[in-house]
Amino acid sequence: MRAHEAGALHADLGSNGPSWLRTPDDVNTLVPILWPRTVTRGQSGALTVGGVDVTQIAQQHGTPAYIFDEADFRARCKAFKEAFGGAEVYYAGKAFIATAIVKILVEEGLSLDVCTGGELAVALRGGMPPERIGLHGNNKSVEELATAVEHNVGRIIVDSLDEIDRLTQIAIRTGKRPKVMVRVTVGVEAHTHEFIATAHEDQKFGFSLAGGAAAEAIDKILADGVLDLRGLHSHIGSQIFDASGFEVAARRLLTLQARVSEVHGRELPEMDLGGGFGIAYTTQDEPADPRDLAGDLLRIVKQECAALHLSVPHLSVEPGRAIVGPAMFTLYEVGTVKDVDGIRTYVSVDGGMSDNIRTALYDAAYSATVAGRASSEPPILARVVGKHCESGDIVVKDEFLPADVKAGDLLAVPGTGAYCRSMASNYNHVPRPPVVAVVDGESRVIVRRETVDDLLRLDVG
Ligand SMILES: *Cc1c(COP(=O)(O)O)cnc(C)c1O
């Protein structure tokens, strides 16, 4: 599903919202699964996070702002780490990365995936030990590869024969033996509750299993003997709620693993099943507990290994969204409220598609609440839109807000920790919002607000 390029003009005008959207009994009620765990509606009616009132945060830091609940983030890191026991948990940095995040990951004992030189720079600046960094990407530059090798990054997930050649040359030149994993496209594409398993996979990432490219890459690496091949890698999709797609992926990877044992007489010691674990954006989503997911994945791998007479490889997973997504919400201020022809109420906020592109890009659903006060008015169906010159500039397509929602209200949109700040743009020369971390009654800026001066500085005339 994709939003039409013409945006809202082509949407289902006149409907009462999607069928899953429930009219709330009380428009002030927070649905706990959508919010960072320290968020509550305080006595004044305003939300508090980490013990701090959002009206105070808005006064101090301005809006729009991404509000990061540090305790929630740490709890999710711990939950994954504990659930996966001996397996390695690589946080997927592309979901959201900043040096403050890297420091927390280091403290919580997680590892970190990056996929560009820029993300690698943040990882190193944040103090992640290089052996705990994985470098992904389907078109890593020579410079990115050389930097990774120079810093002894723990593993490079190779994605093409060109890259294997480049990396081999760098290894020979530097006398190093980089650890690599081979990214395999296993023909499984998973979203939410369904997955598609096909023989072939038509996408830019990795080496195809069916076409024999994966076996060829492995044979080449082992024949050259320059790179240290640690294992196979697969990543099957995003916003996945159950383990069935992973089961097919693991079976296919392990079948290839068995071939490697047969042909080369050696077992690869590691295996990575990627990320993609889903979160709740609205009440229609029911994400799995990391413990259940981990239990399923570990059981599946053990069973398949037993069936193929392989020893169980050291496993790793790469959750991004599931750790940082629910740990943040975006705090906006309402600027205008428009009742359009009695069809729908449009609530405009001071940000939009530049701070959350997911609604326009993926037709993603979000939820929202008036954050600065409680209301005793009945709920009305509203659409939260941004300030950009584009009718597809929608933040929350359908949500019930109190009938008295008005200019000056604070509005909070939960579930914006992943792929919002990291995908933010300067469309319309709107400076990107800050990330404000809140914990134990204190707020601090971890990524500052961009200014018009920042933007003008790049414009050298
Ligand atoms: C994007 C990505 C992830 C993280 O996906 P989430 O949906 O955020 O968990 C993990 N591994 C790879 C290789 C990715 O490309």
Side-chain angles (χ1 to χ4, degrees), residues 38 48-53 56-57 60-61 68-71 436-444:
T38 75
T48 68
V49 51
V52 186
D53 195 299
Q56 190 191 321
I57 295 174
Q60 196 175 340
H61 302 285
F68 172 67
D69 182 340
E70 186 177 324
V436 179
V438 187
V439 67
D440 297 335
E442 303 277 345
S443 67
R444 71 183 203 283

Side-chain angles (χ1 to χ4, degrees), residues 92 94-95 113 136 183 233 235 237-239 274-277 318-322 419:
K94 73 178 201 253
D113 269 346
H136 276 275
R183 176 146 178 183
H233 177 287
H235 173 71
S238 60
Q239 193 58 357
F277 313 118
E318 305 173 323
R321 183 192 320 262
Y419 307 109

